[in-house]
Amino acid sequence: MEAVNREPIRVGIAGLGTVGSGTVNVLQRNSAEIARRLGRPLEIIQIGARRDNPHCDTQAYAVTRDIFDVANNPDVDILVELIGGTTVAKELVLTAIKHGKHVVTANKALIAEFGNELFAAADEAGVMVLYEAGVAGGIPIIKSVREGLAANQIDWLAGIINGTGNFILTEMEEKQRDFADVLKEAQALGYAEADPTFDVEGIDAAHKLAILASIAYGIPLQLGRLYIEGISKITQADIQYASELGYRIKHLGIARRSSAGVEMRVHPTLVPKESVLANVNGVMNAVMVSGDAVGPTLYYGAGAGAEPTASAVVADIVDAARAVGSPAENWVAPLAFHVQSDEAVLDIEQVETSYYLRIQVKEQTGVLAHISKILSDSGISIDAILQKEAHCTSGVVPIIILTQKVEEAKMNHAVGQIEALEESCEPVVRLRLEHLDLEI
Ligand code: HSE
């Protein structure tokens, strides 16, 4: 127990919202056990917050209304950035780095957009910037990929990495509820981002996937090269047709490496009902990672919420505390690889995947033959087909087709030709479909 009597590591927390208050509560409640793990105590010496949070008791701490007091405080060893946003947060983190402090953040947008710059600054200053809580909340996915899978070449990873989107899709499927109605509930429950378009348009998932792809493949963060599609256009009709064909629609982040390069994409995806990811419901997150040595692995847990996210923040504080006074050359590289590669990131048009198509056509003899001809002329093989009776008043027939894998550019060309058919009534709904290897 002697080690626990070493000098405490001094922590400053900036931001006292949901995650900030969760972090204070976890650090308070588990301080003795954390000190035993670390071999020395962690002590919160200052909190910077514009206002108090009724969910945590800060009476024992020095509280300042100016978060920069924490970044400038010479006694703080580790600054914990939990204010969110990217403008002030970036300035705050750079200030802390300049003053030689390690930084822990839960801010995925900050890392995805400015991580390359922040890590370079941290390297120069000889400090760490840690961000476990930024991806999949409480799931230790960064540590798993960066350290636990260090032996592997990562073949692919795929995950449900936005709890709000998963909650919405689950409720829409299970209870046939409207998109807007479920979104309101997710906001009230505190899952959604301050700007909920980040959740429903795939931006939050994109931030997380950019980070995962970077640590999986040792490439710089390249948010701008990532293909992003959200769930706001998913309809009850597509959820039901997918279900009839044995699939669920999930919003996935996917990174994969082939000889052509690295794929990075977030979009709604049909997955077989018996696959693991199809059975991840509500606000939960799950990430599958497949490595050449280990094969497919699965990480599941709460992707949001005060204490699950605090769990990841505090684990990072413990790691940063271990780095205090230890030589930087032995640290894990911020993006997993000390030497990064310049591997190409593929355009979405180069990506190969299977597809779900919903084609709305006039009830006319020969229309199905026209569609099949377009697909076969484009080298697209049909896996399954479902045709419904014509709508009694409009006479419009929905034809649902599942295809085998094809390059997206070829599919785009075929969809253009189908939409140009005289019998075509509406733009084709086109969703990607993946058969992920691990089944329950
Ligand atoms: N809005 C995010 C989500 C919170 O719903 O997953 C955690 O990043």
Side-chain angles (χ1 to χ4, degrees):
M1 291 301 286
E2 208 178 299
V4 179
N5 296 329
R6 287 163 65 200
E7 284 295 292
I9 296 292
R10 298 156 303 174
V11 177
I13 296 178
L16 206 54
T18 305
V19 181
S21 65
T23 300
V24 171
N25 290 335
V26 170
L27 279 172
Q28 268 173 357
R29 192 173 68 236
N30 296 340
S31 64
E33 189 115 342
I34 292 167
R36 285 206 297 128
R37 288 181 190 274
L38 182 60
R40 62 200 294 182
L42 289 176
E43 190 186 322
I44 300 173
I45 64 156
Q46 192 173 32
I47 294 175
R50 255 180 270 146
R51 59 189 77 83
D52 295 336
N53 186 326
H55 299 294
C56 76
D57 179 2
T58 54
Q59 276 177 24
Y61 311 116
V63 178
T64 167
R65 296 294 175 217
D66 181 356
I67 49 168
F68 281 86
D69 287 347
V70 187
N72 288 314
N73 184 338
D75 294 330
V76 166
D77 300 308
I78 301 170
L79 174 102
V80 184
E81 182 279 304
L82 301 172
I83 63 168
T86 50
T87 314
V88 179
K90 183 181 172 199
E91 202 188 326
L92 183 79
V93 167
L94 286 171
T95 305
I97 290 172
K98 191 180 77 189
H99 290 304
K101 300 179 195 320
H102 298 293
V103 174
V104 170
T105 178
N107 192 331
K108 57 252 159 169
L110 180 70
I111 296 298
E113 287 179 37
F114 301 108
N116 297 324
E117 183 184 336
L118 296 177
F119 296 136
D123 183 46
E124 203 157 302
V127 296
M128 276 185 177
V129 174
L130 295 170
Y131 52 86
E132 179 69 71
V135 182
I139 305 174
I141 189 66
I142 300 298
K143 196 156 189 101
S144 300
V145 176
R146 219 163 59 151
E147 299 176 50
L149 299 180
N152 290 263
Q153 294 190 47
I154 307 296
D155 298 320
W156 56 268
L157 63 84
I160 293 174
I161 46 180
N162 180 266
T164 303
N166 201 45
F167 177 74
I168 292 173
L169 289 176
T170 304
E171 289 286 305
M172 284 178 78
E173 189 196 352
E174 288 180 357
K175 302 184 188 150
Q176 280 98 58
R177 290 177 64 190
D178 277 352
F179 175 85
D181 174 38
V182 190
L183 174 59
K184 260 191 224 140
E185 189 182 338
Q187 286 177 280
L189 289 167
Y191 304 147
E193 294 300 300
D195 177 353
T197 58
F198 273 45
D199 295 299
V200 298
E201 299 304 347
I203 299 156
D204 176 73
H207 288 146
K208 296 166 181 168
L209 188 79
I211 297 171
L212 287 175
S214 181
I215 63 169
Y217 298 118
I219 54 176
L221 292 154
Q222 295 169 77
L223 184 62
R225 298 285 296 134
L226 204 145
Y227 177 78
I228 309 173
E229 201 177 297
I231 59 166
S232 59
K233 296 196 180 76
I234 298 295
T235 62
Q236 237 355 292
D238 293 313
I239 289 175
Q240 297 309 325
Y241 292 139
S243 177
E244 277 187 53
L245 289 160
Y247 293 84
R248 286 203 181 104
I249 302 177
K250 291 290 183 185
H251 190 259
L252 298 191
I254 299 171
R256 185 181 274 133
R257 179 157 63 183
S258 66
S259 52
V262 174
E263 296 172 18
M264 298 197 292
R265 48 196 171 104
V266 299
H267 51 68
T269 312
L270 272 74
V271 285
K273 280 185 184 172
E274 63 277 13
S275 65
V276 167
L277 292 183
N279 291 282
V280 173
N281 291 320
V283 76
M284 300 309 277
N285 281 198
V287 184
M288 291 173 67
V289 186
S290 191
D292 66 336
V294 72
T297 59
L298 175 70
Y299 310 84
Y300 172 88
E307 292 214 358
T309 311
S311 165
V313 169
V314 173
D316 272 353
I317 297 174
V318 169
D319 271 355
R322 288 195 186 104
V324 173
S326 84
E329 63 266 25
N330 294 339
W331 299 348
V332 179
L335 291 170
F337 290 70
H338 280 288
V339 180
Q340 290 191 319
S341 105
D342 57 1
E343 217 161 328
V345 174
L346 301 182
D347 288 332
I348 190 68
E349 295 236 313
Q350 297 172 278
V351 167
E352 270 194 14
T353 179
S354 303
Y355 289 88
Y356 160 103
L357 305 176
R358 174 159 60 88
I359 305 163
Q360 303 275 115
V361 287
K362 284 181 222 145
E363 165 71 311
Q364 247 170 261
T365 312
V367 64
L368 196 52
H370 291 157
I371 294 169
S372 323
K373 182 163 183 345
I374 291 172
L375 293 175
S376 73
D377 287 353
S378 309
I380 300 171
S381 186
I382 295 175
D383 238 2
I385 188 158
L386 178 69
Q387 182 180 339
K388 294 288 180 182
E389 281 175 327
H391 188 271
C392 50
T393 48
S394 67
V396 172
V397 184
I399 297 173
I400 293 89
I401 293 177
L402 304 185
T403 77
Q404 290 187 0
K405 273 191 179 181
V406 58
E407 195 180 77
E408 179 129 342
K410 281 191 188 160
M411 179 51 83
N412 288 345
H413 184 66
V415 164
Q417 287 183 300
I418 293 170
E419 287 176 341
L421 285 174
E422 184 205 315
E423 302 94 334
S424 171
C425 303
E426 283 177 25
V428 172
V429 172
R430 185 269 309 271
L431 298 169
R432 298 169 189 86
L433 183 155
E434 291 283 342
H435 292 101
L436 300 164
D437 297 7
L438 197 61
E439 295 188 350
I440 55 171

